[in-house]
Amino acid sequence: MVDIATRVWNHKWKIDPIVRSLIDTDFYKLLMCQSVFRNKPDTQVTFSLINRTKSVRLADLVDEGELREQLDHIRSLSLSRGESTWMRGNTFYGKRQMFTPEFMDWFEKLRLPPYHLEKHDGQYELTFEGNWPEVMLWEIPALAVLMELRSRAVLNTLRKFELQVLYARAMTKLWEKVERLRGVEGLRIADFGTRRRHSFLWQDWCVQAMTERLGNTFVGTSNCLIAKNRDLEAIGTNAHELPMVYAALAKDDDALRLAPYEVLSDWQEEHDGNLRIILPDTYGTKGFLDRAPDWLAGWTGIRIDSGDPAEGAEIAINWWRDRGENPKDKLIIFSDGLDEDKILSLHKQFAGRVKVSFGWGTLLTNDFRDLTPGNSLAPFSLVCKAVAANGKPTVKLSDNPRKAMGPKDQIDRYKRVFGVGEQEEMEVVV
């Protein structure tokens, strides 16, 4: 097993680049990339870094030269022969050749496009512009780099034995969480923690711990490189990015109203089974489901990623029942701000009523809360989002208005078009 503390102590070794591979990313990014490559390859999209936790002044913590070095390293990466073989030949969600030869031919030649980096008021302004299939693959590695450089900046002040003790405490903390989840009948958990992980080595250790202690309760990881290296299931479906860009491309309000369903119509042409998971909260869950075409009720499940998770699950259950579907045959995936207490509570509340699964993210792979003076390693909310498509701004409403993004006039327009009324603000944990 890797001695993480020693590797961190020597973290400037070139053996430890933060992003090691183009598949050191979430599985859903590759699935979405193939869909975009097929349906909208020439759409021009801008991605931008957004730090929701303004108190963490990244530009004051992270050295610009080191950041550029890591980003430049990512631009040098290309798919290795072994990675290509894994993607071309592996079985994902029970399907062989998930990725088409045309997509793989393109991906094998890909180098990520240039980035634009500036400092402003203690924060980094990091943007990526270009063809959608290319720039979208910057999202996860960009976040991973900023999160780990922030961790390195804090850890750089610690001596070797302090690092040993810190990681021993962090391992114990995670192990105690896993112990609480062990043996719970019917529990299913996947690692969703790549984007805001403490580090690659730490995420890999967390996955190994979950694999060893939870057995079949642990169903896989969203991280493709770890899934490949550890012979695990790669887990993931789709994300808010798709409806946000499709909506931005809509020519009028009527087209805007239909855009989220156009996304899923395109998705349905490529995927079936457990890849047919609805993410309904981009422009409000209840309104999305109320207006949804009947064919969507036949999909496998729903992922709940904002708002009150229990309330969202009840809305989903009632919707399926109203559409003549048996909720017990459906899957609900919870993925927002999870920790072991919330996982256990939601599982107890909904197991038996629906099939339940959990995508455990930041508080699995980056929970160093209260382990350093001043809580300097506490996780924070950093995202990298598509902010424009073909020159038009994107908008996300969410079921939690604190997660909303876009120009105010466009947010107001989207609320009107999608019939979103008053929303309850909830704390954005991570």
Side-chain angles (χ1 to χ4, degrees):
M1 184 173 293
V2 172
D3 181 350
I4 297 178
T6 298
R7 290 283 285 270
V8 170
W9 177 252
N10 295 291
H11 69 249
K12 293 189 182 300
W13 289 356
K14 293 301 180 183
I15 196 174
D16 274 338
I18 291 173
V19 175
R20 292 153 164 73
S21 162
L22 286 183
I23 67 166
D24 183 9
T25 191
D26 282 335
F27 186 55
Y28 77 79
K29 290 299 290 192
L30 299 184
L31 290 178
M32 291 195 302
C33 187
Q34 177 169 254
S35 180
V36 171
F37 176 80
R38 175 175 179 250
N39 294 296
K40 297 189 182 296
D42 299 323
T43 301
Q44 298 298 294
V45 173
T46 301
F47 275 75
S48 184
L49 188 77
I50 302 169
N51 185 1
R52 294 171 176 154
T53 310
K54 300 300 183 184
S55 59
V56 177
R57 295 173 60 87
L58 282 174
D60 295 341
L61 286 169
V62 172
D63 177 74
E64 182 177 346
E66 193 169 1
L67 173 56
R68 289 185 181 275
E69 182 181 25
Q70 293 290 342
L71 296 174
D72 291 340
H73 170 73
I74 293 170
R75 291 199 66 211
S76 74
L77 294 173
S78 61
L79 210 59
S80 73
R81 180 177 298 179
E83 292 163 352
S84 176
T85 300
W86 180 76
M87 289 184 65
R88 285 181 181 267
N90 197 43
T91 298
F92 302 100
Y93 283 80
K95 179 180 178 181
R96 291 189 66 83
Q97 293 186 326
M98 178 73 76
F99 299 100
T100 66
E102 295 78 15
F103 174 75
M104 289 304 305
D105 289 345
W106 171 83
F107 193 28
E108 286 164 352
K109 299 180 181 70
L110 178 69
R111 302 292 191 280
L112 292 191
Y115 60 87
H116 180 74
L117 179 66
E118 292 184 5
K119 286 183 179 181
H120 181 70
D121 193 23
Q123 301 294 344
Y124 281 113
E125 293 183 354
L126 178 59
T127 57
F128 313 95
E129 298 180 346
N131 290 338
W132 190 8
E134 297 178 4
V135 295
M136 68 185 296
L137 292 177
W138 262 116
E139 177 188 353
I140 306 301
L143 291 172
V145 162
L146 265 301
M147 296 301 295
E148 185 161 347
L149 284 179
R150 183 263 196 158
S151 298
R152 291 183 178 188
V154 173
L155 297 176
N156 198 41
T157 64
L158 302 183
R159 293 172 292 183
K160 189 171 184 178
F161 278 87
E162 290 178 309
L163 288 169
Q164 295 280 5
V165 171
L166 171 68
Y167 279 103
R169 288 174 174 168
M171 289 175 178
T172 300
K173 185 176 187 179
L174 175 63
W175 195 253
E176 289 173 350
K177 292 183 184 186
V178 173
E179 279 289 307
R180 291 189 61 199
L181 299 171
R182 183 168 175 255
V184 178
E185 185 177 354
L187 189 61
R188 293 169 53 85
I189 303 174
D191 158 42
F192 276 18
T194 298
R195 64 182 51 239
R196 286 190 286 268
R197 66 193 182 194
H198 171 76
S199 70
F200 174 83
L201 294 177
W202 182 249
Q203 181 183 13
D204 190 44
W205 188 91
C206 292
V207 167
Q208 291 179 72
M210 297 269 281
T211 302
E212 177 171 316
R213 200 58 175 161
L214 292 184
N216 292 335
T217 293
F218 182 59
V219 297
T221 173
S222 67
N223 186 285
C224 296
L225 182 60
I226 294 175
K228 171 184 171 292
N229 291 346
R230 301 292 174 191
D231 195 23
L232 296 168
E233 292 288 338
I235 303 292
T237 55
N238 55 72
H240 301 104
E241 173 186 341
L242 292 179
M244 287 171 65
V245 173
Y246 274 58
L249 299 176
K251 295 180 179 179
D252 53 34
D253 287 356
D254 289 337
L256 174 58
R257 198 174 290 110
L258 294 174
Y261 308 113
E262 181 188 351
V263 169
L264 300 183
S265 178
D266 285 346
W267 191 264
Q268 185 169 247
E269 291 183 10
E270 295 185 57
H271 303 299
D272 55 17
N274 283 345
L275 283 172
R276 289 188 178 176
I277 302 295
I278 304 166
L279 180 62
D281 70 320
T282 310
Y283 303 119
T285 292
K286 189 175 186 310
F288 175 92
L289 294 178
D290 286 346
R291 291 184 295 271
D294 288 338
W295 54 266
L296 263 181
W299 275 35
T300 302
I302 286 176
R303 179 159 73 94
I304 296 174
D305 196 53
S306 64
D308 183 316
E311 181 180 331
E314 295 291 356
I315 290 172
I317 289 170
N318 291 332
W319 177 69
W320 280 316
R321 189 177 292 120
D322 291 344
R323 297 294 179 103
E325 300 284 339
N326 184 353
K328 290 185 178 181
D329 297 333
K330 300 298 184 178
L331 173 65
I332 290 180
I333 302 172
F334 296 99
S335 60
D336 182 32
L338 296 177
D339 211 356
E340 80 276 18
D341 286 338
K342 188 181 287 188
I343 290 172
L344 290 169
S345 174
L346 290 169
H347 180 75
K348 182 178 180 180
Q349 185 172 353
F350 291 102
R353 301 176 62 195
V354 293
K355 299 173 184 177
V356 180
S357 186
F358 298 89
W360 195 3
T362 307
L363 295 181
L364 167 65
T365 62
N366 198 1
D367 188 5
F368 284 69
R369 292 173 296 179
D370 303 319
L371 296 182
T372 54
N375 211 15
S376 55
L377 276 182
F380 63 104
S381 187
L382 186 70
V383 296
C384 184
K385 295 289 188 182
V387 296
N390 285 354
K392 297 181 179 179
T394 62
V395 173
K396 179 185 175 187
L397 298 181
S398 179
D399 286 330
N400 179 0
R402 290 194 183 184
K403 286 189 171 183
M405 56 167 286
K408 184 181 183 308
D409 65 323
Q410 289 300 307
I411 289 177
D412 292 342
R413 175 192 170 215
Y414 276 59
K415 284 185 173 181
R416 172 180 56 78
V417 168
F418 290 106
V420 176
E422 291 297 318
Q423 295 177 293
E424 180 183 354
E425 287 196 0
M426 300 181 66
E427 180 185 1
V428 178
V429 180
V430 285

